[in-house]
Structures are given as structure tokens and as C-alpha cells.
Amino acid sequence: MSPSSPDTPTTPHDRLLPAIGMTNVLVVAVAALVFVPKFKLVFDGFGGDLPQATLMMLATYRAWGLAALLVPAVWLLWPDRQARGVAALLTGIATALALTGFGLWACYSPIFLLAERVG
């Protein structure tokens, strides 16, 4: 196989970058598995209706680890072979940030809603 073959990595980091991207997503998914159940206990004590985002998070957080599969998908399907490692890394970072932002918003929305009603 020649060095310019499309199946060979183009840089030494070509396989390391997707692994780092996947790790970002998996860390967020594991954090959700640890922290969301604690928030659920708090939500159960509210006794009221929860915001839609919170209900969606409670229904889906156990599957957030599957989002890590986006990283190898981007790595395999990215049209520019020289940039696919970076594209996969950025996909992992963006996915982890999106899940983190959504999770924080969904966890704290009921608390802010309760504060509005009380205050």
C-alpha cells in the first residue's frame, strides 16, 4: 500500500484526534449518568410540571453516549482525507459542548421556573 493511498492515515494524529473527540462526548455522557439522577430527585420533590427541555433530558440522557458515534462517522465519511481527523475532533468537541449546554439548561430550568413563581 502506498503512502498516498486513501485508506492510510495522512498524519500521525489522524487516528488520535477522533479518539480525543469521542472521549469528550463519553465524558459528558458519563457525567450525565452520574448527575442527572441527582437532579431527578430534586425534580420529584417539586410536585409540579417540568419544562419540556427537562422532560426531554430525563428521557434521553442514558443514550447520550451514542452521540460519540458521530465522531467515527465523520472520520470515515469526511471528503477531505487530510482534514478528517480535525473534523472528527471538532465534531466531538461540538457534540460534547452541545450536550453539556443542553444538560445544564434542562437541569436548571425547573429551578429558575420555581424561583420565578416564588419570587
Side-chain angles (χ1 to χ4, degrees):
M1 202 178 275
S2 71
S4 62
S5 171
D7 292 331
T8 58
T10 55
T11 68
H13 304 295
D14 194 47
R15 291 205 169 111
L16 179 63
L17 295 177
I20 294 170
M22 286 181 68
T23 302
N24 286 321
V25 178
L26 293 174
V27 165
V28 171
V30 169
L33 291 172
V34 170
F35 292 109
V36 171
K38 293 177 183 181
F39 275 90
K40 185 173 180 344
L41 292 174
V42 173
F43 300 153
D44 291 343
F46 284 178
D49 292 333
L50 294 174
Q52 201 64 29
T54 304
L55 294 173
M56 184 185 309
M57 180 203 54
L58 291 172
T60 63
Y61 79 94
R62 289 179 201 91
W64 285 7
L66 294 174
L69 296 175
L70 288 171
V71 176
V74 167
W75 187 77
L76 290 170
L77 301 173
W78 197 259
D80 181 2
R81 295 272 186 200
Q82 291 185 346
R84 71 183 185 174
V86 172
L89 172 66
L90 293 176
T91 298
I93 291 170
T95 303
L97 288 173
L99 289 173
T100 300
F102 173 71
L104 288 172
W105 174 53
C107 280
Y108 284 101
S109 287
I111 296 168
F112 294 140
L113 187 63
L114 180 65
E116 284 178 11
R117 290 181 184 163
V118 172

